[in-house]
Amino acid sequence: MATQILTLIGVLIGALTSYLVTAAAERAKFRREMTTRWDERKLDTYIACVTCIKEIQRTAMDAGRARDQGLNDSEALQAMEAGETRRSILFETFVLLSNEKAATAAHAVNQRTWELLRAAREPASGIAELRPIPLVEALNVLHEAARSDLMISSGVPTR
């Protein structure tokens, strides 16, 4: 009878150990999956936000170029304003998903973007007035912060 009880206790201990190890492994797997899911969402948001800012910059430059050539700038300005609306919405998601360093860099990019928008909205602004705005430099800092947040190493300098 004692051997049967010892065998039963051994089976119970083995089952409990197996359950605890499996539960811990499943919890770790779930955490990894959730981290991956949020990292994918972050990457998509970062790409969408930076792409939108580049579109705003391109359309602002198109408007300045049109003015320099004496052409109508209204189409470029409309595209620029549409891009600004998208950027504003994307920025909120960006800040919600990013770490503090990336959010701070995104705020700096916003400041440069707003400077560009203000200058591009001025009827007398051409390419010469738009080029000195350091938007590309702010974007480079944002790229580095986003790579750091996503734990992507890069040996390639962005400057």
Side-chain angles (χ1 to χ4, degrees):
M1 179 85 159
T3 32
Q4 291 175 343
I5 291 176
L6 287 176
T7 303
L8 185 57
I9 290 173
V11 169
L12 288 174
I13 290 173
L16 182 60
T17 304
S18 176
Y19 171 77
L20 292 175
V21 168
T22 302
E26 286 298 317
R27 258 194 311 260
K29 179 181 172 186
F30 177 75
R31 278 191 231 116
R32 279 191 307 275
E33 287 173 357
M34 291 307 293
T35 299
T36 300
R37 184 179 301 164
W38 283 114
D39 283 349
E40 288 172 359
R41 180 76 190 259
K42 275 185 194 182
L43 179 61
D44 292 344
T45 300
Y46 290 1
I47 290 170
C49 193
V50 170
T51 300
C52 188
I53 291 165
K54 294 297 283 184
E55 288 172 1
I56 290 169
Q57 181 184 34
R58 183 185 46 77
T59 55
M61 293 300 181
D62 289 348
R65 196 173 297 106
R67 287 185 198 125
D68 287 346
Q69 296 172 357
L71 303 173
N72 186 348
D73 63 356
S74 63
E75 189 175 310
L77 289 174
Q78 286 175 350
M80 182 186 76
E81 295 300 339
E84 168 56 12
T85 300
R86 281 191 321 278
R87 185 217 51 82
S88 175
I89 294 166
L90 286 168
F91 176 74
E92 298 305 321
T93 306
F94 189 104
V95 171
L96 285 172
L97 294 175
S98 66
N99 67 10
E100 187 176 341
K101 184 178 175 184
T104 300
H107 283 290
V109 168
N110 275 351
Q111 293 297 322
R112 301 299 82 75
T113 303
W114 292 331
E115 290 172 20
L116 181 68
L117 289 166
R118 272 193 297 277
R121 289 175 182 137
E122 290 293 323
S125 293
I127 290 286
E129 290 79 17
L130 300 176
R131 276 209 175 105
I133 298 169
L135 180 58
V136 172
E137 292 81 359
L139 278 170
N140 287 340
V141 172
L142 179 62
H143 292 153
E144 190 61 38
R147 278 195 303 272
S148 173
D149 187 21
L150 293 168
M151 293 181 273
I152 300 170
S153 63
S154 172
V156 180
T158 56
R159 298 188 200 276

